[in-house]
Amino acid sequence: MYLTHLECPGCGREHDADVPQNLCDCGSPLLARYDLATVGGVLQPERFGLRPATLWRYRELLPVADPAHVTTLGEGWTPMLRAPTYGARIGVDELLVKDEGLTPTGSFKARGAAVGVSRARELGIRRIAMPTNGNAGAAWATYAARAGLGAIIAMPVDAPSICRRECVAAGADLRLVDGLIGDAGRQIAALVAASAGTIFDAGTLREPYRLEGKKTMGYEIVEQLGWQVPDVIIYPTGGGVGLIGIHKALGELRELGWIEDRLPRLVAVQSTGCAPIVRAFAAGEDRARPWPDAHTVAFGITVPAPLGDQLILAALRASAGTAIAVDDAEILADLRDFAAREGLLLCPEGAACLTAARKLRAGGWIRAGERVVVLNTGAGVKYPDTVDVTDVPVLPS
């Protein structure tokens, strides 16, 4: 394993990667750091094509030392699909969709769960707890069951019902909270504090290895484009782990010399009903203020106060990217339009990225001829209520 230490991006302090870690004392999430010089000396990118089509093909750049601890259901290496018909309609001829709905638990959260659970198992953690908006809890419950770990999952009562069913099916201790993800987070924090160290907090960015699983989306995008980078990557942003992870992956690839200096412009997409990152970005602020009365049909991005706000904003600015909020009605309209034109039912968070692409192209921020990758972060079939069928006629028998 080439993992050397954990680093605080806030205060610069280094932390031991060989013991369980949560946040730095300064309150910042920690980032995993690797001996990239040595990795570059022993590995060339052409080697990845000879390996199994899972995220573990990048094992030298992941934090699990002993393969015996790898907990996998075949996650990763999701397809990147061209969308020529819809792309032509909005003026983006090279529009591609990275379809994370085909992961084992039906969302990109499986990546973070696979790596996070594997590393937790390796470090001797036996029981994890986390708040979630739905899909992350379902993924962590599933992978915890696979690894033989206990899992306590707290989620808002309004989260997608399929996610709570997945948690129960995986044997997790599910707690429903009458509130938002922040309320669920407070419940988990109290539980962890009272556990005398027997329960590990695996909440978003509160441990460093979920991000390492999510960053593999960045590796895959580049490898699937023949070790070239797109011009723009559009990502639905709640907690923002995937966006931070993709940015981290691109930086690692550049340091390894496997891609050139030019990096994609990153776009954070939020709903007008919950847009703390968009507001902070527009104001030139380094921190995002909590969003009051948060609500959106794209439930996965209903995060009023993301812990990783500084890292998200820094990634957007470092990549010359932007942040945009889109309306729920437009999200649902673009979801239907895309499905009818391309035959792929997106999750509402993925559809929000289509709306963003359409608006950014119309406004000229996305230029003609640019290659744009949209992240569809989950399977559309997990959100059946996004398609209204009340006007479908019922024929007599």
Side-chain angles (χ1 to χ4, degrees):
M1 183 174 69
Y2 297 92
L3 176 68
T4 57
H5 64 282
L6 302 173
E7 179 182 271
C8 175
C11 68
R13 178 183 168 191
E14 293 189 4
H15 295 257
D16 187 353
D18 291 327
V19 296
Q21 301 278 7
N22 286 119
L23 302 178
C24 179
D25 291 341
C26 74
S28 172
L30 300 178
L31 300 178
R33 298 303 186 194
Y34 300 83
D35 182 357
L36 295 179
T38 300
V39 172
V42 301
L43 182 66
Q44 293 299 315
E46 293 78 13
R47 290 266 301 278
F48 295 125
L50 304 175
R51 296 179 175 180
T54 73
L55 64 80
W56 298 101
R57 70 202 277 121
Y58 307 112
R59 57 182 177 267
E60 290 87 353
L61 297 165
L62 292 173
V64 182
D66 185 350
H69 294 298
V70 168
T71 304
T72 182
L73 292 166
E75 58 287 334
W77 203 248
T78 54
M80 193 144 64
L81 306 172
R82 296 191 176 277
T85 305
Y86 185 86
R89 188 182 88 74
I90 68 171
V92 180
D93 292 335
E94 285 200 79
L95 178 66
L96 301 108
V97 177
K98 178 74 167 158
D99 188 12
E100 292 291 295
L102 297 181
T103 54
T105 60
S107 84
F108 73 131
K109 305 290 187 178
R111 293 181 185 266
V115 176
V117 166
S118 295
R119 185 59 173 160
R121 183 183 181 191
E122 186 166 58
L123 293 175
I125 294 167
R126 302 306 305 159
R127 199 175 184 199
I128 60 99
M130 60 179 295
T132 177
N133 266 332
N135 277 318
W140 280 75
T142 299
Y143 281 86
R146 181 108 174 139
L149 307 186
I152 303 170
I153 309 294
M155 70 173 68
V157 70
D158 291 332
S161 63
I162 182 60
C163 297
R164 73 182 71 167
R165 297 174 192 275
E166 289 176 278
C167 291
V168 171
D173 179 355
L174 177 63
R175 318 280 181 93
L176 297 178
V177 178
D178 186 11
L180 298 175
I181 190 170
D183 302 299
R186 283 185 284 277
Q187 296 281 344
I188 292 297
L191 185 69
V192 170
S195 74
T198 62
I199 301 174
F200 182 74
D201 189 345
T204 301
L205 290 175
R206 291 185 179 276
E207 58 78 52
Y209 302 115
R210 178 194 300 218
L211 189 148
E212 295 304 288
K214 297 280 191 71
K215 79 177 182 183
T216 59
M217 291 186 291
Y219 294 156
E220 288 181 20
I221 289 170
V222 173
E223 185 178 358
Q224 288 171 326
L225 291 176
W227 298 100
Q228 300 292 316
V229 299
D231 297 290
V232 176
I233 297 176
I234 305 180
Y235 183 85
T237 305
V241 182
L243 187 143
I244 298 165
I246 290 171
H247 181 65
K248 184 175 187 287
L250 294 168
E252 290 170 348
L253 293 175
R254 183 167 61 179
E255 186 172 342
L256 285 162
W258 295 351
I259 61 174
E260 297 179 355
D261 286 343
R262 184 184 69 85
L263 296 182
R265 308 195 307 278
L266 300 178
V267 178
V269 182
Q270 299 195 300
S271 165
T272 53
C274 183
I277 295 297
V278 175
R279 181 173 62 187
F281 183 84
E285 297 169 348
D286 295 327
R287 300 300 306 262
R289 289 173 283 116
W291 190 271
D293 190 29
H295 62 279
T296 170
V297 67
F299 201 79
I301 56 175
T302 314
V303 182
L307 177 62
D309 56 348
Q310 288 180 292
L311 295 173
I312 297 167
L313 292 163
L316 296 178
R317 291 177 176 130
S319 68
T322 193
I324 181 173
V326 296
D327 181 77
D328 277 7
E330 293 182 294
I331 291 172
L332 294 177
D334 282 315
L335 184 150
R336 288 283 299 272
D337 191 17
F338 187 84
R341 293 174 187 272
E342 299 290 353
L344 178 61
L345 179 61
L346 305 183
C347 65
E349 296 81 9
C353 293
L354 293 178
T355 305
R358 176 170 58 79
K359 287 179 169 295
L360 291 171
R361 177 67 187 105
W365 191 89
I366 293 175
R367 297 180 286 271
E370 289 196 306
R371 179 182 285 171
V372 177
V373 173
V374 162
L375 270 295
N376 178 47
T377 50
V381 293
K382 296 187 80 170
Y383 302 84
D385 292 340
T386 58
V387 180
D388 183 10
V389 295
T390 56
D391 60 347
V392 176
V394 178
L395 303 179
S397 59

